[in-house]
Amino acid sequence: MSARSSQPTPGAALAGLVALVPANAIASLIRKGSGKTSVGTWLLSQASGAGHLLYCGLLSALVVYLWLRLRPAPIARLDFPALLALAALVGWFAVGPDFANFVERTEAVEKVPPGLLGGVFCMVSVVFWVLVARLVARRVPWVMVGVGVALGFANNFLLELDYPGIHLTVGWCGALVATLGFAAEDLRWFRPSRRLVIVMGALAPLAVASLLLRPNEAAWRKLSEAPGAFPAPFISAIVPELSVGRFAEDRNDPWMKRRDGVSATPPSALSPVPPDGIVILLVFDALRADVVDRKKPLVPMPNFERLRKRSVEFSLARSAAPSTLSSITTLFTGKYYSELHAKGSSGEEGGTAGDETPRVPELLAPGVSSFHIFPTRLLDPSRGATRGFESVKVAEKAPSSKVMEKLKSRFAGGIEGPQLIYLHWMDAHSPYDLDGAQGTPKEAYLREVAILDKRLGELLAWLREEKLAERTTLIVTADHGESFGDHGTWEHGKTVYEELLRVPLLIAAPGKKARVVTAPVSTVDIGATILDLFGKPTPGYFMGESLLPLAYGDATQVSHPIAAEAGTKLRAFFATPDIKVIFDRKRKTTEVYDLSVDPGESRNIVDAPEMRVHVGRARRFFSVREVKGAN
Ligand SMILES: [Zn+2]
């Protein structure tokens, strides 16, 4: 690096980070957050965020100071390689986890450690922005400062509510460019001097205070959902969580304890499935519940409507996880994701293949055969979710038409004996281009949903033609919903808000009357329901219960609490049918919503004293379900 024009100084490093404070404040006024914020909350969140940037600035200044001071003369030329090594290190540990999902899903990089991708991403970003700073803006230092601040500002509008490592990289690059600008300006103030040391010493307590003092929950939430406040998700690791409701207990509630020793529940004797019966579990990937709303469906679904007219419909069903693999694993194990062995390629999340909990097909064997056609590699039985199924693969992300072809050819000679068939249709999964990509993403998605309905018609016709309809009970649901900008996110997997949790759920059995069950239920109940349909008991450790007593008996609700988990760090718990508690352990935030008055989950009422008992119940529920080392 040319010593004269862009040698960073401690003062410039501090200024580079502090320059992002006003950028974040302005962005925070412009960008749409997930809820309404009072002025006090906003000020508190901004003060806290400014403290974090100040802290990072002081730390950088110290690193630069020590580097300039202590490095031996022969390695003076190694400034840039040293910066790259630092970027690789930060990238491996902080950005790597952001790539875990991508690695999990992408065949081409399946064997690559996510940390390597994170390291490369971080290094390439740093190289790019240092080159921009050196080549383009070297002669105009203040433009360089402007570019850096603009980058920090833009960071607020990228990939909301997720990817803290990527936001760290972008924010860091912005601060770096601004730092080089300040350094090139060569202000005397920025050079190591006693004056600077005094200023930094005076600021240090403020920075440390911002680490140790946590504003109220609402302000912390406001701050941690702002992507440009990139230190917050990392600093949250050392900020103590609020102890609100920590000691509330439900000692006598069997669902609030570990269930290892609980005895099995016998079958309900309500099953309409005959001895040679067939159960088809049909999962529409990413089908939001409101798309097939009873009163106002978003797209005409004639076949779904016909099926609904002879089904028991669970109008308030929620998925146990907002992404495919964890949702389906929970469905077939009866355990929430964090109760399963969750050590995957990404270190702490992702794989549950190693967990030995028997899957539903294993619990049905040897009496009941099972068959599964998987259109995404995530559902390959070797990934764990669908272990025990006899299975065939169709092409990756194959449309439902291909799944139907496989189904028809597999059972061309009829179906003998009792059989569980699991079909998973990916048509409505992004990218939304099966019927052309014109219009908004949601419009394109709804056209794909219409394709799903056509395919449902084809499945029902096939069952009739093959004379299987009288033997077949259909369970129709989705693995999770889909987000179209709701709460600032797209697609699924990143939040546990209702747009991702609410799913349709129908059970259609021959000869049974249609009805609507409004009690809240979960996809965690489907495994127990399948076992019950085949007259098998539900193991005591299951977190779900058979839905047949609600569908065909006189039960009015399930006895277990309802929860959902996105990985092990983002969890939702329904303390009552309306009070929903969300813990985000990445950011150390707690949210509470009263869905009866706030169905859009926009007013976090966690700071209200009467919510303590609900937060306490939620905390207790999750505290007995921890994967060791998944902290
Ligand atoms: Zn899915």
Side-chain angles (χ1 to χ4, degrees), residues 15-31 46 49 53 129 143-160 164 166-179 182 223 225-231:
L17 275 143
V18 172
L20 300 184
V21 171
N24 280 350
I26 293 167
S28 163
L29 291 174
I30 298 172
R31 64 180 284 282
Q46 291 303 309
L53 287 171
W129 286 107
V143 171
M144 215 139 97
V145 171
V147 169
V149 171
L151 197 55
F153 179 78
N155 201 13
N156 283 284
F157 300 92
L158 296 170
L159 303 166
E160 305 208 31
I166 291 175
H167 292 122
L168 171 73
T169 306
V170 175
W172 184 29
C173 287
L176 191 64
V177 173
T179 295
F182 284 121
L223 174 68
E225 75 175 15
F230 60 89

Side-chain angles (χ1 to χ4, degrees), residues 283-287 322-325 327-328 376 378-379 424-426 429 478-482 492:
V283 176
F284 296 115
D285 204 287
L287 183 64
S323 53
T324 311
L325 184 59
S327 173
I328 298 300
T376 162
L378 288 177
L379 296 175
H424 193 108
W425 291 352
M426 297 290 285
H429 197 285
D479 55 349
H480 48 75
E482 190 78 335
H492 53 265

